[in-house]
Amino acid sequence: MQQVNKQDIRKLSLQELEQYFESVGEKRFRARQVYEWLWSKSLKNFDDMTNLSKATREHLKENFDINHILVDQFQRSDDGTIKNAVKLFDDQIVESVLIPTSKRITACVSSQVGCSLDCNFCATARLKRMRNLNPDEIYDQVVAIQEEARLYFDRPLTNIVFMGMGEPLLNYQNVLAAIERVCSPTGLGISPRRITLSTVGIAKMIRKLADDGVRFNLALSLHSAINETRTRLMPINQTNTVEELADALKYWYSITKRKVTYEYVIWDGINDDERHARALAKFCKHIPSKVNIIQYNPIDEGEYRQASPEKVSLYLRILEDSGIVAKVRKSRGQDIDAACGQLANKIDW
Ligand code: SAH
């Protein structure tokens, strides 16, 4: 385990780093040099910062740590999907996934160690929330996947989704700070248009995203537009009802003018009837939106089963008749437990 008594240098902003350098009698511009080594070049130790004097490097080493993540376990699926189990400076583990398609390489990253929500179809929900990830720990997951994209696919990373472990809107500041670094020219220079934050649906925080003028995409894990069913699936719906979410989404759209994606699993005997499909179609009318129908990834022998193809077709027909764009998403990486909701399924905690 790395030492934790020194400060993690990547918790400092560029301005804070500049102030620090000035306070120790160093030139201000050194801060920018260090910042670039830390972020756009992702250096893991001070000795490699070759444009700094040896004395400066030693001084930094004495006062700071670079708490870099370590890819502790690497698994590759038959379909090309890669899952990284990532070790953090305090030995906690989170997972991130690389999803290749012919056109894209997507990084699916985690925002928390474990999760405090109790969506009862999700494996991550069985872990209690241990802690929030720091911005650099989120950023490093993207860097690790970017390196793997080049190494194994000879292509760059194209998209990032916050659909790994945890609820990004319950780690709001750090997730936004990580996205800011990912998008910055002094970071990875990735466009916010290629980033999607997926939330369980916390109305207040969706409004805050809009107020803060974010430029990335928003996805909402809806799974049912009927309160009774949604509460059964996702207890958070008790305090963030379908109506409250609709209001928050209208607010989001009025400010951002950005479409929202609804993620939706259709389960046998739970939400696979016409009433639920029509409720979804109605919900989709609130603001411009599209639906991703995700295949259910079994997490045990439990009560949830994927609905039949006929029921999925029923949904597609009803949505299409209402003029709503819906896509059925093939599950990826199931054989290595890297698919939606399977993260942490088999880790020995
Ligand atoms: N907390 C965020 C992001 C993590 S989950 C959120 O709730 O959106 C990413 C997506 O996987 C969500 O849409 C979630 O509902 C879905 N999911 C969870 N468990 C699943 C499972 N077993 N099969 C398919 N999708 C699942």
Side-chain angles (χ1 to χ4, degrees):
M1 187 150 104
Q2 292 173 36
Q3 264 182 294
V4 288
N5 52 350
K6 293 185 218 168
Q7 196 182 4
D8 177 6
I9 192 163
R10 287 186 301 168
K11 282 206 173 133
L12 300 186
S13 65
L14 178 58
Q15 290 70 20
E16 286 165 338
L17 211 52
E18 283 172 346
Q19 281 160 13
Y20 175 77
F21 272 92
E22 280 183 332
S23 75
V24 295
E26 278 265 15
K27 291 273 185 309
R28 203 179 155 82
F29 75 88
R30 294 274 172 229
R32 185 172 286 277
Q33 289 177 322
V34 171
Y35 204 68
E36 276 178 15
W37 285 121
L38 290 172
W39 294 102
S40 39
K41 302 201 180 75
S42 281
L43 277 201
K44 296 176 191 168
N45 58 69
F46 294 110
D47 286 330
D48 295 336
M49 301 187 176
T50 48
N51 55 0
L52 303 181
S53 71
K54 188 152 189 321
T56 307
R57 280 182 262 159
E58 289 303 322
H59 177 85
L60 288 173
K61 265 199 276 184
E62 275 162 30
N63 290 284
F64 295 103
D65 274 325
I66 305 175
N67 287 338
H68 217 279
I69 63 160
L70 195 88
V71 177
D72 194 43
Q73 223 191 69
F74 167 94
Q75 282 171 283
R76 200 160 173 188
S77 157
D78 297 338
D79 65 20
T81 302
I82 290 174
K83 180 167 82 168
N84 294 332
V86 162
K87 194 183 262 188
L88 310 174
F89 74 93
D90 56 358
D91 284 350
Q92 304 264 24
I93 304 267
V94 291
E95 295 177 327
S96 21
V97 184
L98 178 158
I99 308 150
T101 64
S102 56
K103 294 199 194 92
R104 295 175 171 194
I105 293 202
T106 301
C108 174
V109 297
S110 295
S111 56
Q112 299 182 310
V113 184
C115 189
S116 60
L117 303 166
D118 293 314
C119 304
N120 47 36
F121 48 83
C122 177
T124 311
R126 311 216 163 145
L127 315 166
K128 59 177 191 298
R129 189 193 75 89
M130 311 292 285
R131 70 169 173 87
N132 284 336
L133 294 191
N134 295 323
D136 50 280
E137 293 171 326
I138 298 169
Y139 183 88
D140 286 353
Q141 293 176 63
V142 178
V143 172
I145 300 242
Q146 194 184 43
E147 284 166 5
E148 289 167 352
R150 293 218 178 96
L151 188 62
Y152 297 102
F153 299 90
D154 205 16
R155 286 191 273 148
L157 172 69
T158 58
N159 295 72
I160 301 167
V161 294
F162 281 80
M163 296 187 189
M165 297 159 79
E167 169 50 44
L169 294 188
L170 294 178
N171 184 15
Y172 190 89
Q173 296 294 350
N174 291 353
V175 165
L176 261 63
I179 294 177
E180 191 272 318
R181 299 279 68 239
V182 163
C183 297
S184 160
T186 57
L188 301 179
I190 293 175
S191 162
R193 302 265 182 271
R194 296 181 172 277
I195 299 177
T196 301
L197 183 153
S198 173
T199 177
V200 73
I202 301 165
K204 187 173 84 182
M205 302 311 280
I206 292 173
R207 288 172 190 270
K208 183 161 167 54
L209 282 175
D211 287 338
D212 287 345
V214 300
R215 286 160 50 236
F216 49 79
N217 303 300
L218 180 65
L220 169 72
S221 300
L222 189 60
H223 302 312
S224 173
I226 296 176
N227 278 319
E228 192 192 344
T229 311
R230 194 166 190 272
T231 299
R232 181 171 152 202
L233 295 165
M234 308 162 84
I236 185 92
N237 193 68
Q238 283 161 6
T239 46
N240 290 265
T241 61
V242 169
E243 293 73 26
E244 281 162 323
L245 291 177
D247 284 346
L249 291 167
K250 284 182 202 159
Y251 184 75
W252 156 274
Y253 188 75
S254 73
I255 292 186
T256 66
K257 296 283 176 281
R258 295 187 74 74
K259 226 187 229 184
V260 169
T261 302
Y262 301 129
E263 290 156 273
Y264 203 99
V265 177
I266 310 172
W267 285 281
D268 181 33
I270 292 180
N271 60 352
D272 63 350
D273 55 301
E274 193 173 328
R275 186 172 74 100
H276 280 90
R278 293 207 181 280
L280 171 62
K282 195 169 159 214
F283 189 85
C284 288
K285 293 288 176 190
H286 290 306
I287 61 164
S289 57
K290 61 180 179 169
V291 177
N292 273 345
I293 295 182
I294 327 175
Q295 190 185 329
Y296 176 57
N297 300 305
I299 55 168
D300 55 19
E301 305 297 307
E303 55 176 314
Y304 293 97
R305 284 180 316 272
Q306 166 66 38
S308 67
E310 292 73 32
K311 294 294 173 64
V312 175
S313 303
L314 169 79
Y315 258 82
L316 289 174
R317 208 182 58 239
I318 289 175
L319 292 172
E320 194 182 326
D321 286 350
S322 306
I324 292 146
V325 176
K327 289 212 174 78
V328 179
R329 296 270 170 218
K330 261 198 315 201
S331 186
R332 305 289 306 267
Q334 256 202 36
D335 55 328
I336 55 165
D337 288 320
C340 294
Q342 290 188 311
L343 299 184
N345 205 13
K346 302 277 165 61
I347 287 187
D348 187 8
W349 295 79

